Amino acid sequence: MTTRAWNFSSGPATLPEPVLRRTQAAVWDLDGSGIGVLEHSHRGREFMAVLARAEALVRQLAAVPADYDVLFVPGGASLQFAMVPMNFLGPAATADYCLTGVWADKAAAEARRFGAVHVACSSAADGYAHIPDAAATRWSDAPAYVHFTSNNTIYGTQWRQPPAAPAGVPLVCDASSDIFSRPLDVARYGLVYAGAQKNLGPAGVTLVIVRKDLVARGHADLPTMLAYRTYAEHQSMYNTPPTFAIYVVAEVLAWLVEQGGLAAMATHNRAKAAILYDELDRSPLFRGVVRADARSDMNVTFRTPSPALDAQFIATAEAAGLRGLAGHRSVGGMRASLYNALPVAAVEALVACMRGFAAAHG
Ligand code: PMP
């Protein structure tokens, strides 16, 4: 049997061991049905139970109010970049975007295909190393919605609090890289979306939590598969949903409940991130990339003094069984993704490796 590496990948990312073990068994036989989860009809009672369980667990974990729909949509978070404006923006309307990185920029670029985009704030000037504050934010007169990215996967910044959108304006959040890593006050949002492949499960499905009145307000003339209404009216089962991905998401959600829910997860994640940030603050060789008040608990970005030494560290870490530490190709350096399922022991192993490397190269 091979030894599993510590996986710091930004996504698809490490999953909880009990989830992987249960999934292994379910691939052969789902709940004693004599049929594996990959082979079940999506309309059969066994998969319907899986889907109902996934939705119920989302509602339980985030205390989702009754006037919100919980939807499972294919196409990744990138499809949400387009579905949000397709449903809620029109040629005569403006949406406000907070630009805190490439993913936020991509979301805004999709919106520009359907209406006007007002840049309410941006951290581009310092290479997205901070989160803009209220004083640096200007809303347009009557935005259709405000869009922001709660955690910026590439840069390693995270909003502590969502931006204070003007009263009555729906707040839309791309929470792909920090969903359910901390408590989520759903009532503050019009819509929250997150690709599953970081904190929720495998690639292939995106969780959307959306207020029902917004779903109803969505444009009527959209292609069927691009309207939120379709997913809401058919319990995410208008067509064949990504059944396996939804199964694993349900297992991850059940694991989150077993861990004590979102508040416990936040404590766990904060503690993990603190171990690494403390090391960066004291290391003679490594330093953090972003402003201290914007540091993400999910993606920790750091560097040595040179790209050559960064590459050498990444190779050293790989040889020690620490994988996925290279920064995003657009920024270089290192990035350690510390999603829910990553154990403390992985962070401790990383810190030990950094110390050894610093001693040898400092
Ligand atoms: N938003 C954020 C914050 C991301 O980190 C990513 C992917 N890393 C995306 C959107 C795009 O997600 P997908 O690949 O599911 O379209």
Side-chain angles (χ1 to χ4, degrees):
M1 203 187 78
T2 52
T3 313
R4 281 171 60 84
W6 294 126
N7 181 6
F8 294 91
S9 165
S10 61
T14 194
L15 288 168
E17 187 177 327
V19 169
L20 293 173
R21 301 243 176 252
R22 283 200 287 265
T23 300
Q24 278 182 320
V27 165
W28 182 245
D29 179 3
L30 178 63
D31 297 336
S33 62
I35 296 174
V37 62
L38 295 167
E39 306 160 297
H40 267 288
S41 162
H42 61 297
R43 306 277 175 205
R45 64 177 181 281
E46 288 88 352
F47 180 73
M48 296 292 276
V50 168
L51 184 67
R53 177 171 180 243
E55 176 177 342
L57 285 164
V58 168
R59 290 190 178 279
Q60 177 186 344
L61 275 164
V64 178
D67 59 332
Y68 283 74
D69 283 315
V70 172
L71 311 176
F72 296 96
V73 182
S78 298
L79 183 62
Q80 297 307 305
F81 295 169
M83 273 179 74
V84 166
M86 281 178 120
N87 280 264
F88 307 128
L89 193 59
T94 299
D96 287 11
Y97 277 72
C98 299
L99 300 187
T100 52
V102 160
W103 299 117
D105 289 355
K106 287 190 168 170
E110 291 299 303
R112 285 189 189 100
R113 298 173 185 274
F114 304 101
V117 165
H118 166 77
V119 175
C121 58
S122 169
S123 54
D126 69 353
Y128 302 114
H130 77 286
I131 295 293
D133 60 16
T137 304
R138 295 283 175 274
W139 306 118
S140 66
D141 284 343
Y145 59 85
V146 165
H147 179 283
F148 80 110
T149 312
S150 53
N151 185 77
N152 299 283
T153 325
I154 295 174
Y155 311 90
T157 62
Q158 187 174 25
W159 293 75
R160 296 269 164 276
Q161 291 290 328
V169 175
L171 186 60
V172 175
C173 177
D174 174 2
S176 291
S177 52
D178 68 354
I179 185 89
F180 292 178
S181 67
R182 55 182 178 177
L184 179 70
D185 183 2
V186 173
R188 290 181 74 159
Y189 300 88
L191 186 151
V192 179
Y193 63 89
Q197 67 269 25
K198 299 159 195 308
N199 266 330
L200 294 181
V205 70
T206 299
L207 172 66
V208 176
I209 306 175
V210 55
R211 228 172 52 211
K212 288 176 191 275
D213 65 299
L214 285 177
V215 172
R217 245 193 274 165
H219 297 310
D221 54 351
L222 293 172
T224 310
M225 287 296 287
L226 298 176
Y228 289 113
R229 187 180 298 108
T230 303
Y231 296 85
E233 287 176 355
H234 297 270
Q235 287 77 46
S236 306
M237 288 267 288
Y238 173 75
N239 74 331
T240 316
T243 53
F244 187 46
I246 293 171
Y247 167 82
V248 181
V249 167
E251 289 296 340
V252 170
L253 296 170
W255 176 82
L256 281 171
V257 170
E258 283 164 25
Q259 301 308 300
L262 303 189
M265 241 28 253
T267 306
H268 167 69
N269 288 326
R270 178 54 12 145
K272 279 188 298 184
I275 293 171
L276 190 45
Y277 285 121
D278 287 351
E279 182 61 23
L280 292 174
D281 288 342
R282 88 165 77 87
S283 173
L285 187 68
F286 296 95
R287 62 179 171 81
V289 174
V290 302
R291 227 164 71 179
D293 63 355
R295 284 173 164 180
S296 166
D297 284 350
M298 295 283 97
N299 311 97
V300 179
T301 50
F302 57 104
R303 293 179 181 285
T304 69
S306 82
L309 210 51
D310 289 347
Q312 218 179 318
F313 173 70
I314 290 163
T316 302
E318 273 215 39
L322 307 167
R323 301 280 308 274
L325 285 167
H328 189 268
R329 60 191 184 281
S330 63
V331 295
M334 277 75 72
R335 168 178 56 179
S337 296
L338 315 180
Y339 300 127
N340 288 343
L342 189 88
V344 177
V347 184
E348 289 168 347
L350 172 57
V351 165
C353 183
M354 289 164 69
R355 287 187 184 168
F357 190 83
H361 298 88

